[in-house]
Amino acid sequence: MIKYGELTTKKDNRSFFIKKLVSNIKNVLKDYDFEIKYDRVRTYIYTNNNYIDEITKKLTKVFGIHSIVICHKVNNNTDEIKENVIKILKEIKFNTFKVETKRANKSFEIHTMDFNNIIGSLVLKTFDCKVDVHNPDFVLHIEIRDDGTYIYTNEIKGSGGYPVGIQGKGLLMLSGGIDSPVAGYLALKRGVDIDCLYFESPPHTSLEAKNKVIKLASIINDYSGNIKVHVVPFTKVQETIYKMVPPNYMITIMRRIMYRISEKYAKKLKCDILINGESIGQVASQTITSMSVINNVTNMPVIRPVACMDKLEIIDIANKINTYETSVLPFEDCCTIFVPRHPIINPKLDKCLDYEKRFDFESLIDKCIENIEVVKDLNFNKFEDLL
Ligand code: ATP
Ligand code: MG
């Protein structure tokens, strides 16, 4: 039984949210045999006992789910409920318990309190235990609904958030660092469907660096299932900047061009926003002044989910979602290779415009976009081998 997350507060869009969630669940579980039913309050997945652990693990990564409950479904028949309660509790070690009946089906003949008593007495009689209403070892939940009675004893926390896709699409600028995979995860959590854009500069950056990015994408793809990685051949742009722009402005100009490419390509992919892992003050290109001068090249909204987080807070999330270990592998990104010793922290817009007149960046941008390579098959194990 799936309990919905935040979406239950959004009245008008509710059925759209639930349909999206159900389709995301079907997508994640496509390799399993199961049946799915849903209504306004719950989604039910019926499956064979053998798959339960695997399916539960997958569901903990589906956004829009508040919790996952492993239930035993029986008919709305007191004897059958009693029989199953005993069967279920035989599997658990406990000293204290509490019964909580929910009688959603009002035509069921026994009232809630009476039913709690009937089941409570049965448990007391059958097992060596006590009732504790305040702090029991577990709560025995019995939900009597129209289509049957659901019995369960524990609830597994889901990831919360909104179902991926209900907020449209965004393009994540994904590097091999710690921040951008976390930014992508957080955007997915708010229901944004994402694709990833990675700028590579071979031979200054290695195949390992690229595989690392694809592997990071594959890890966050567990929360989506739809992610593709688009790889931009960025070498020519970087080499041109290296020749034409004074060292202290190289990063600023490079990032302005990254943003231009990202915006243009995002429109092609029908993405409405850009997402990246910038965090205020982290490096020279992420001072407020730098961000403003860099952001100046685009009108597209740029969402920076980790902008106001400390590095340690970002690392905590990276650990939680399992990207940290991959992010810290030592392969150079395009940014790290051309880093000047003194990048400017308060760049001036008119200077950028002057430097950009020195070369035909428009045609370089078009070339980059023409030659983008799309990686669709994010097979985690395959990239593990290559690292
Ligand atoms: P770190 O975790 O080490 O800070 P980072 O990925 O955040 O790594 P920055 O140089 O801080 O690296 O870059 C800021 C943001 O710009 C990144 O979070 C990412 O969104 C984007 N970015 C940087 N380099 C690339 C790249 N090669 N391809 C795509 N996006 C990039
Ligand atoms: Mg960073």
Side-chain angles (χ1 to χ4, degrees):
M1 178 197 286
I2 304 290
K3 298 189 181 176
Y4 305 141
E6 201 175 328
L7 60 89
T8 49
T9 57
K10 303 278 187 283
K11 280 220 166 63
D12 296 343
N13 290 326
R14 188 161 172 151
S15 81
F16 170 59
F17 280 46
I18 295 170
K19 281 193 182 123
K20 190 80 208 167
L21 176 62
V22 168
S23 103
N24 291 352
I25 291 175
K26 283 183 182 165
N27 191 24
V28 161
L29 302 184
K30 60 180 180 293
D31 296 334
Y32 298 89
D33 258 347
F34 67 96
E35 220 187 293
I36 191 163
K37 283 186 191 157
Y38 62 92
D39 59 33
R40 288 175 60 76
V41 229
R42 303 269 194 261
T43 285
Y44 300 96
I45 298 170
Y46 302 89
T47 188
N48 184 304
N49 268 346
N50 301 337
Y51 302 142
I52 286 182
D53 288 346
E54 285 172 47
I55 286 185
T56 307
K57 201 165 157 212
K58 295 220 172 238
L59 291 174
T60 56
K61 293 187 176 174
V62 176
F63 290 124
I65 294 180
H66 171 74
S67 60
I68 304 145
V69 184
I70 314 296
C71 305
H72 299 256
K73 187 184 177 195
V74 302
N75 293 314
N76 290 346
N77 167 300
T78 307
D79 286 338
E80 205 175 311
I81 296 172
K82 281 173 153 179
E83 207 177 289
N84 277 278
V85 161
I86 293 182
K87 217 159 69 191
I88 294 163
L89 297 195
K90 274 194 176 145
E91 305 292 316
I92 312 178
K93 275 208 166 67
F94 65 98
N95 296 316
T96 59
F97 75 103
K98 171 187 175 181
V99 184
E100 251 179 49
T101 303
K102 195 182 251 169
R103 193 166 139 263
N105 176 348
K106 296 295 175 208
S107 69
F108 187 74
E109 66 278 12
I110 307 174
H111 284 232
T112 306
M113 289 311 279
D114 297 335
F115 204 73
N116 282 343
N117 287 335
I118 292 173
I119 300 296
S121 319
L122 171 76
V123 176
L124 286 169
K125 208 171 70 193
T126 319
F127 301 94
D128 179 19
C129 61
K130 282 193 198 120
V131 172
D132 182 345
V133 289
H134 301 297
N135 193 20
D137 289 346
F138 74 93
V139 178
L140 174 64
H141 293 270
I142 301 178
E143 288 195 18
I144 304 166
R145 300 193 162 270
D146 291 343
D147 62 330
T149 295
Y150 295 83
I151 309 171
Y152 60 92
T153 56
N154 77 340
E155 200 161 330
I156 298 147
K157 204 167 173 290
S159 279
Y162 292 144
V164 171
I166 58 153
Q167 288 293 347
K169 229 177 139 183
L171 185 60
L172 170 69
M173 300 161 75
L174 180 64
S175 68
I178 297 165
D179 306 322
S180 48
V182 170
Y185 160 84
L186 291 171
L188 287 166
K189 184 165 186 173
R190 296 315 288 168
V192 183
D193 195 5
I194 62 170
D195 257 344
C196 302
L197 194 63
Y198 167 59
F199 295 84
E200 70 160 351
S201 298
H204 314 295
T205 58
S206 62
L207 182 61
E208 282 93 341
K210 173 178 166 185
N211 286 334
K212 172 179 162 184
V213 170
I214 296 171
K215 185 175 167 190
L216 287 168
S218 85
I219 298 173
I220 57 172
N221 196 34
D222 277 357
Y223 296 91
S224 159
N226 288 326
I227 296 181
K228 295 196 243 345
V229 180
H230 305 259
V231 183
V232 184
F234 202 51
T235 315
K236 191 85 210 301
V237 175
Q238 280 209 300
E239 289 176 351
T240 310
I241 292 172
Y242 197 66
K243 266 189 251 152
M244 301 299 194
V245 176
N248 60 340
Y249 267 76
M250 280 187 333
I251 299 261
T252 316
I253 304 295
M254 183 192 79
R255 295 193 66 77
R256 282 167 57 89
I257 295 185
M258 276 184 167
Y259 268 58
R260 288 181 176 106
I261 293 173
S262 303
E263 182 198 64
K264 203 159 182 180
Y265 194 60
K267 285 184 179 153
K268 233 173 134 166
L269 295 180
K270 303 215 171 354
C271 293
D272 292 321
I273 56 169
L274 298 177
I275 302 151
N276 68 37
E278 288 172 345
S279 180
I280 298 171
Q282 197 182 77
V283 287
S285 62
Q286 292 166 31
T287 62
I288 294 277
T289 330
S290 278
M291 281 208 236
S292 143
V293 168
I294 291 165
N295 206 144
N296 191 266
V297 299
T298 177
N299 287 321
M300 196 173 258
V302 180
I303 306 296
R304 301 173 174 86
V306 303
C308 298
M309 287 186 192
D310 289 352
K311 193 76 187 186
L312 289 178
E313 291 173 307
I314 302 172
I315 289 174
D316 273 351
I317 301 178
N319 272 318
K320 193 179 89 182
I321 64 173
N322 246 334
T323 52
Y324 183 77
E325 260 179 45
T326 304
S327 289
V328 295
L329 291 173
F331 307 115
E332 300 284 324
D333 247 339
C334 68
C335 288
T336 27
I337 279 178
F338 290 90
V339 180
R341 219 174 276 165
H342 301 291
I344 192 150
I345 56 169
N346 55 350
K348 302 281 178 285
L349 184 58
D350 51 357
K351 279 202 167 168
C352 292
L353 296 170
D354 268 355
Y355 297 141
E356 284 168 0
K357 278 190 200 127
R358 295 180 181 181
F359 60 102
D360 179 9
F361 65 84
E362 291 290 358
S363 76
L364 284 175
I365 287 176
D366 289 341
K367 272 247 163 55
C368 283
I369 292 181
E370 268 165 38
N371 292 302
I372 283 175
E373 173 204 355
V374 186
V375 182
K376 291 182 187 155
D377 177 23
L378 300 186
N379 184 331
F380 185 93
N381 295 324
K382 191 164 105 197
F383 296 107
E384 184 115 35
D385 295 346
L386 291 173
L387 286 173

